[in-house]
Amino acid sequence: MYQYDQIDQTLVDQRVAQYRDQTQRFLAGQLSEDDFRALRLRNGLYIQKHAPMLRISIPYGLLRPDQVRMLGRIAREFDKGYGHFSTRQNMQFNWPKLEQVPDILALLATVQLHGIQTSGNCIRNVTSDHLAGVAADELEDPRPWCEYVRQWATLHPEFSYLPRKFKIAVTGSPADRAASRVHDVGLHLVKNEQGEVGFEVLVGGGLGRAPMIGHVIREFLPKKDLLAYLEAILRVYNLEGRRDNIHKARIKILVKAIGPDKFRELVEEEFAAAKDTAPVFDAAGFERIKSYFAPKAYETLQDQDVVSGKPQEFRNWYQYNTRKHKVAGYRAVFLSLKSPKRPPGDITADELDHVAALAEQYSLGEIRSTHDQNVLFAHVKQSDLFALWQQLKLHDLATANIGTLTDMICCPGGDFCALANARSIPLAEQINERFDSLDYLYDLGEIQLKMSGCMNGCGHHSVGHIGVLGVDKDGEEWYQITLGGSTGGHDASLGKVIGPSVAHDDVAETIERIINVFVEHRQEEERFLDTFRRIGVAPFKAKVYAPADQAA
């Protein structure tokens, strides 16, 4: 992974000192609430329902053991003993004291972590495929390009005060495990007819109040033009994007308003006009960045049968929580943060310490956070899988449910967030209680359940196979259900609302009714999403809103 040089470290250290001074001036009454708000947001600090929330940037989800231990230390000393992984691969702490945040940032800086640009109307953390560099279906490792973009975007003076936040995802696989089609900009590494590798560029995706799938505005962009083209996109957005209405300020609204063809035309004009002043591709600098992502020192091994003679519990875990690695003799391993005992995405300080130690022992010292709020060990020898599984079981990190209904995405919701209309975490508890048989979940196959406590869509409900959105009705919690969403590959789609919202206590039963329709209409090993697309919303709607005696 990328290693800071003196410039990187100096920048982060200076930012800590700057923010410490800003905090002290605010606490002394020398900065107003409004003035301080813009400053704290640029360092990842929100004011939530009960306490501040600090968001830590994890560029493209990559972590070292010392960084994970530091996150555990902060959770233990400055929070309530745990942290939360978000859908954009970052970590969030929900209980820091405002006056202690500079001390937290100072500690983070010692291990090359920070909160810079994790909030505010700027370019946010660049995300990527959590299997980048090890996936067999990958055209090229996208992480060097993520780092290249990150360095360009950090404190970029022209794009520090955009109309709204701006998110970029980069992927090298057609499977699109980075959800790039619902980002402001999605970058796909592709190959043209001449065999050259460049980027397909999508613009205008996003979730929240007006969810949209991004539009392709360039089918092939040469690598050397990446930063110049991104500047052209952002300059058009900066000039044309709305600033009079926060709900209409995202680039997706601009693209929809003028149309993707017109937006493409404006970007191409700006791209051509700015050629003489645009960033020039630094081949040597990029090769330096790329060197930090060289293949690991893998042993020469052969693939082997590691499940024969092992307990069924281990066999299930191997099937659901591990993935093929491009190097023979290795597997990528998901550490599930979706056991029935925890809110999805939460991890304790002690568990963070254990994860760091296990990564050193079993994953060549590398940890990754995933888009789906889990953790990944990308480099595990197949011969070590059983021993690793035994260790993960001891720490509640081996629930064999990756890709199943209970591997749900869930935002913190009304328990923490001041913006939420309803709680999300109690729904996860409901669903885990209702669907407590792993064998049944395995029979159902892949189902992506995603839940958000409000229209901001932090839980990605709009693109869930089953989406749950919290809404407020006269001070009571109700939930709107959508079906048929997807972020995968070229068939990304937005979910369709099936009907009126349902009461808090009825959510798990509603999902069970939906599942029953799927089971009734499913053909052979058909996925939930495929069944929904084949039969449409009507059968689900009829069952969900049928009287109790007819829904059984």
Side-chain angles (χ1 to χ4, degrees):
M1 63 185 294
Y2 180 73
Q3 300 292 315
Y4 277 25
D5 60 20
Q6 190 57 48
I7 295 174
D8 296 302
Q9 191 64 53
T10 299
L11 183 151
V12 173
D13 289 340
Q14 289 179 347
R15 187 65 173 229
V16 171
Q18 181 188 59
Y19 184 66
R20 187 182 297 280
D21 175 67
Q22 293 165 349
T23 302
Q24 290 171 348
R25 285 190 286 137
F26 171 70
L27 293 174
Q30 297 169 4
L31 281 176
S32 70
E33 181 72 49
D34 286 343
D35 288 340
F36 184 61
R37 181 177 182 272
L39 300 173
R40 63 172 169 78
L41 286 174
R42 292 311 174 91
N43 290 279
L45 187 66
Y46 292 75
I47 301 300
Q48 297 284 67
K49 195 170 190 176
H50 306 293
M53 182 273 281
L54 181 63
R55 181 179 293 147
I56 309 306
S57 177
I58 304 174
Y60 35 91
L62 210 55
L63 288 163
R64 304 189 308 260
D66 63 319
Q67 293 173 324
V68 172
R69 287 191 177 94
M70 181 58 74
L71 294 174
R73 176 181 172 183
I74 290 166
R76 187 176 291 110
E77 295 181 10
F78 297 94
D79 205 275
K80 292 191 174 183
Y82 68 95
H84 174 79
F85 282 110
S86 77
T87 54
R88 301 205 72 254
Q89 301 181 293
N90 293 319
M91 170 153 279
Q92 298 179 172
F93 293 110
N94 288 307
W95 300 98
K97 294 179 180 178
L98 187 148
E99 63 271 19
Q100 292 181 328
V101 170
D103 295 330
I104 296 173
L105 295 177
L107 286 171
L108 288 169
T110 66
V111 292
Q112 303 178 354
L113 288 174
H114 59 77
I116 299 171
Q117 293 182 202
T118 57
S119 181
N121 298 336
C122 55
I123 302 170
R124 301 285 187 88
N125 181 38
V126 181
T127 59
S128 189
D129 181 358
H130 45 256
L131 292 176
V134 304
D137 64 351
E138 183 177 81
L139 179 63
E140 183 180 305
D141 188 346
R143 294 173 302 170
W145 293 105
C146 291
E147 178 59 28
Y148 187 60
V149 171
R150 185 197 71 82
Q151 291 188 21
W152 159 79
T154 300
L155 304 184
H156 194 301
E158 186 177 354
F159 308 127
S160 289
Y161 290 93
L162 296 167
R164 279 288 273 132
K165 58 188 175 182
F166 200 90
K167 301 174 181 179
I168 300 172
V170 191
T171 180
S173 165
D176 193 12
R177 288 175 288 264
S180 66
R181 285 174 170 79
V182 288
H183 279 68
D184 297 287
V185 167
L187 299 172
H188 302 162
L189 284 158
V190 294
K191 188 176 291 187
N192 66 10
E193 294 179 355
Q194 289 71 43
E196 301 166 323
V197 176
F199 293 98
E200 178 186 58
V201 182
L202 291 86
V203 175
L207 300 175
R209 292 176 179 271
M212 299 180 192
I213 303 298
H215 301 272
V216 176
I217 65 165
R218 256 288 184 128
E219 293 185 354
F220 186 84
L221 178 73
K223 290 178 176 179
K224 66 180 179 60
D225 293 328
L226 177 59
L227 296 188
Y229 204 74
L230 287 176
E231 285 207 352
I233 291 170
L234 280 153
R235 195 165 289 128
V236 170
Y237 172 47
N238 218 0
L239 290 171
E240 305 291 341
R242 293 185 61 172
R243 296 177 184 267
D244 60 324
N245 186 325
I246 190 173
H247 302 305
K248 297 182 179 181
R250 296 290 296 272
I251 194 173
K252 63 185 179 182
I253 303 298
L254 173 61
V255 173
K256 182 179 181 181
I258 67 175
D261 291 338
K262 179 61 176 179
F263 186 85
R264 178 189 300 111
E265 178 185 326
L266 293 175
V267 170
E268 293 291 342
E269 288 176 358
E270 178 62 34
F271 179 58
K275 274 193 177 296
D276 292 339
T277 57
V280 176
F281 180 63
D282 179 3
F286 181 76
E287 287 303 314
R288 181 183 67 85
I289 291 172
K290 191 175 179 180
S291 69
Y292 292 113
F293 300 91
K296 297 284 187 177
Y298 297 113
E299 296 180 25
T300 302
L301 304 170
Q302 298 296 319
D303 288 332
Q304 56 182 281
D305 175 8
V306 298
V307 298
S308 294
K310 296 294 192 302
Q312 186 61 45
E313 187 181 5
F314 171 75
R315 295 162 70 97
N316 291 341
W317 176 83
Y318 177 88
Q319 178 179 348
Y320 286 91
N321 289 37
T322 76
R323 298 290 183 271
K324 179 178 174 60
H325 197 291
K326 65 169 57 175
V327 177
Y330 288 83
R331 297 284 286 187
V333 174
F334 287 96
L335 283 59
S336 174
L337 300 184
K338 312 292 179 60
S339 82
K341 301 177 183 178
R342 74 173 78 228
D346 278 10
I347 187 166
T348 70
D350 289 346
E351 288 165 351
L352 286 164
D353 289 343
H354 292 310
V355 166
L358 291 172
E360 289 171 330
Q361 185 174 1
Y362 294 110
S363 187
L364 301 179
E366 184 180 288
I367 304 104
R368 304 185 185 190
S369 57
T370 78
H371 158 68
D372 294 321
Q373 296 178 294
N374 291 304
V375 173
L376 183 80
F377 285 178
H379 316 286
V380 180
K381 289 192 291 186
Q382 293 174 12
S383 58
D384 285 338
L385 287 171
F386 188 73
L388 173 59
W389 170 71
Q390 290 177 309
Q391 290 297 313
L392 294 176
K393 280 185 64 181
L394 296 176
H395 307 299
D396 189 36
L397 297 170
T399 302
N401 66 344
I402 300 299
T404 72
L405 182 69
T406 59
D407 181 22
M408 62 193 92
I409 287 179
C410 178
C411 75
D415 288 303
F416 297 97
C417 182
L419 301 176
N421 296 313
R423 293 170 295 165
S424 304
I425 294 172
L427 297 188
E429 296 173 356
Q430 267 192 49
I431 293 162
N432 274 314
E433 289 175 1
R434 182 68 64 109
F435 297 94
D436 60 354
S437 168
L438 283 174
D439 287 338
Y440 181 59
L441 294 177
Y442 299 156
D443 288 341
L444 296 177
E446 180 194 6
I447 299 179
Q448 296 177 6
L449 172 60
K450 305 183 181 185
M451 301 185 291
S452 300
C454 76
M455 288 295 293
N456 286 300
C458 295
H460 292 195
H461 65 277
S462 299
V463 286
H465 296 171
I466 302 174
V468 181
L469 167 65
V471 295
D472 176 79
K473 284 189 177 183
D474 299 322
E476 295 184 356
E477 296 176 322
W478 288 72
Y479 296 86
Q480 184 185 82
I481 310 297
T482 55
L483 299 179
S486 171
T487 60
H490 294 286
D491 66 346
S493 59
L494 301 174
K496 298 178 181 179
V497 177
I498 65 170
S501 55
V502 300
H504 178 276
D505 292 343
D506 296 333
V507 172
E509 180 181 345
T510 299
I511 290 174
E512 185 170 31
R513 291 186 181 195
I514 290 168
I515 295 301
N516 288 340
V517 175
F518 164 55
V519 171
E520 178 184 351
H521 291 273
R522 182 185 196 184
Q523 294 180 353
E524 298 180 351
E525 297 300 311
E526 197 172 41
R527 298 180 307 159
F528 177 90
L529 182 62
D530 297 326
T531 300
F532 174 81
R533 288 175 171 173
R534 179 171 54 80
I535 69 175
V537 73
F540 295 93
K541 183 175 182 177
K543 182 70 73 172
V544 165
Y545 300 106
D549 59 342
Q550 298 178 25

